[in-house]
Amino acid sequence: MDDAQAFYKELERNHLVALWNVSANLLPKEPRGRAIPYLWRWDTLLPLVRRGGELAPLSRGAERRVLGFINPGLPTRYGATHTLWAGFQYLLPREVAPAHRHSPAAIRFIIQGDGAFTTVDGDKCVMSRGDLVLTPPWTWHDHGNESDEPMIWLDGLDLPLVAEMEATFYEPFPKDAQRVERPVGDSERRYGLGQLRPTWERSVGPFSPLLNYKWAPTEEALRRLATGSASPYDDVAMEYINPHTGGPLMPTIACWIQLIRRGLRTRAHRHTGSAVYLVFEGRGQSVIDGQRFDWQRGDLFVVPTWAWHEHASADGAEAILFSVHDTPVMQALGLFREQAYPDHDGHQPVSRVFEG
Ligand code: GTQ
Ligand code: FE2
């Protein structure tokens, strides 16, 4: 063994590393995310979700019937991206998903059904298609279905991020369901119209006090905005806001609702931060890092960090996308960067079509 080899062995034994040997890994020219662009089809998901309903009863220890999306580029990490967990949750009539709380933050966006609820710290949030319900960190939450139909919703959580930060805490509630001690939809009563807030209420922590963003006002806002000019990269895209700050819903999660108008194609850009998109209505396609993803209602796809992406609605149809983003983290840490696609009028050449 020569001197150098002996030296490096000695470093290893002492739990040391020579920066000059690893600096290319530590400081790549730009982010090299391992998460890949991917898409899951509704037609594949729905039968699996239903089979889960037949096979897996809810109980303590199996508190949530959720199929989680695993990014194929990160097979050992429970997440759709490196920071975001996404899953389809299924709740049958008269079932209760027992109450608990955790330090990771959660959002739910209702895909199917009407008349289930999530109680968040005693505030009963009634859920219908298109509603967005928040479970801020460390709030008690149980889900119940008082309707005669199964409910399906998208869960978005910052589980992989909080796990990596080694800051995950969890606690079960002593009973299955919380008592509802306030008027049903109390946060909607106080903040639901969006343009006014009670003068005496102070913001408690960096979380939105509005827990249920109902579909009707969301759609109205989108339709109003759609009559004028919009973003060249996202078309008519709106972020759900914390009424105290105008900022993101929570420090780790931002949510968007987005209309791609009939026959419209956006330009490509990329930015730090990853996102999960649910196709709420319509049909269209996205090109992500040169690969085309054709999507329709109920499909879910992932845009990893620093990936070029552009969206288009299908000919003759508009599309509505709901999305969950980790960009508030990037913003807060001074790591947000954005770049427009420089060539071909802002459109990527398509080299592959996603088959799945
Ligand atoms: O509904 O409380 O998808 O705690 C993952 C963790 C849903 C929930 C998930 C959770 C929940
Ligand atoms: Fe939870």
Side-chain angles (χ1 to χ4, degrees):
M1 206 186 307
D2 61 24
D3 271 3
Q5 260 182 318
F7 171 65
Y8 293 121
K9 269 267 168 295
E10 185 72 15
L11 290 185
E12 231 177 281
R13 263 200 299 278
N14 287 284
H15 307 287
L16 295 165
V17 72
L19 175 63
W20 59 89
N21 285 338
V22 297
S23 55
N25 293 325
L26 280 174
L27 291 167
K29 221 169 140 271
E30 55 182 43
R32 288 197 296 241
R34 286 158 303 145
I36 61 167
Y38 202 75
L39 178 144
W40 291 262
R41 296 190 197 288
W42 176 252
D43 290 348
T44 309
L45 294 167
L46 183 60
L48 294 171
V49 164
R50 287 187 173 143
R51 267 167 67 194
E54 289 156 15
L55 286 171
L58 293 181
S59 64
R60 280 291 175 191
E63 300 181 356
R64 300 292 185 264
R65 189 185 295 111
V66 179
L67 299 185
F69 299 94
I70 300 300
N71 191 292
L74 297 167
T76 58
R77 186 145 173 159
Y78 295 128
T81 80
H82 63 312
T83 54
L84 295 169
W85 164 269
F88 275 4
Q89 184 157 169
Y90 193 54
L91 193 64
L92 296 166
R94 273 159 294 284
E95 275 188 322
V96 174
H100 65 205
R101 64 180 176 180
H102 36 71
S103 52
I107 66 93
R108 346 252 159 215
F109 185 75
I110 315 311
I111 299 170
Q112 196 171 90
D114 181 13
F117 62 87
T118 298
T119 303
V120 183
D121 273 352
D123 185 350
K124 184 171 175 175
C125 300
V126 176
M127 309 191 293
S128 303
R129 177 168 160 81
D131 295 349
L132 170 67
V133 172
L134 309 189
T135 314
W138 214 238
T139 53
W140 296 111
H141 54 286
D142 50 278
H143 314 296
N145 187 352
E146 294 172 333
S147 81
D148 296 322
E149 300 294 330
M151 293 276 299
I152 302 179
W153 63 82
L154 170 69
D155 284 325
L157 290 93
D158 54 11
L159 289 170
L161 176 71
V162 178
E164 201 71 4
M165 309 283 278
E166 301 184 347
T168 306
F169 294 86
Y170 166 89
E171 190 182 340
F173 190 68
K175 291 176 297 177
D176 274 2
Q178 300 166 71
R179 283 237 309 273
V180 177
E181 282 157 355
R182 296 193 260 152
V184 169
D186 192 41
S187 79
E188 292 160 58
R189 185 180 66 80
R190 293 175 293 131
Y191 289 98
L193 291 183
Q195 47 190 5
L196 295 160
R197 65 176 169 85
T199 54
W200 63 90
E201 288 216 2
R202 295 286 165 264
S203 129
V204 267
F207 312 108
S208 174
L210 178 58
L211 301 174
N212 196 353
Y213 293 71
K214 300 300 284 182
W215 175 246
T218 301
E219 185 177 20
E220 196 193 332
L222 207 52
R223 295 283 168 206
R224 280 173 183 248
L225 192 64
T227 57
S229 61
S231 158
Y233 306 110
D234 295 301
D235 202 31
V236 186
M238 301 188 91
E239 183 179 345
Y240 295 85
I241 56 172
N242 174 340
H244 279 300
T245 63
L249 296 174
M250 298 186 278
T252 53
I253 294 180
C255 291
W256 290 21
I257 192 77
Q258 176 171 8
L259 175 68
I260 314 286
R261 288 173 288 188
R262 196 181 304 276
L264 195 133
R265 175 159 80 136
T266 69
R267 288 164 180 265
H269 73 160
R270 64 180 175 182
H271 45 74
T272 52
S274 60
V276 174
Y277 287 81
L278 175 81
V279 183
F280 184 61
E281 273 172 21
R283 282 183 303 115
Q285 49 183 240
S286 299
V287 182
I288 309 170
D289 274 347
Q291 189 177 9
R292 198 183 87 207
F293 293 79
D294 294 303
W295 40 252
Q296 54 186 320
R297 179 172 164 144
D299 293 353
L300 184 130
F301 64 92
V302 162
V303 178
T305 195
W306 207 237
W308 296 113
H309 57 283
E310 60 193 277
H311 311 295
S313 55
D315 291 341
E318 61 175 30
I320 297 179
L321 304 174
F322 170 82
S323 52
V324 187
H325 305 251
D326 62 13
T327 38
V329 179
M330 298 293 123
Q331 303 276 12
L333 301 182
L335 295 170
F336 187 76
R337 276 201 196 209
E338 183 172 28
Q339 189 179 24
Y341 192 73
D343 309 319
H344 311 105
D345 273 350
H347 297 296
Q348 307 158 74
V350 175
S351 57
R352 280 189 300 161
V353 177
F354 177 81
E355 304 291 352

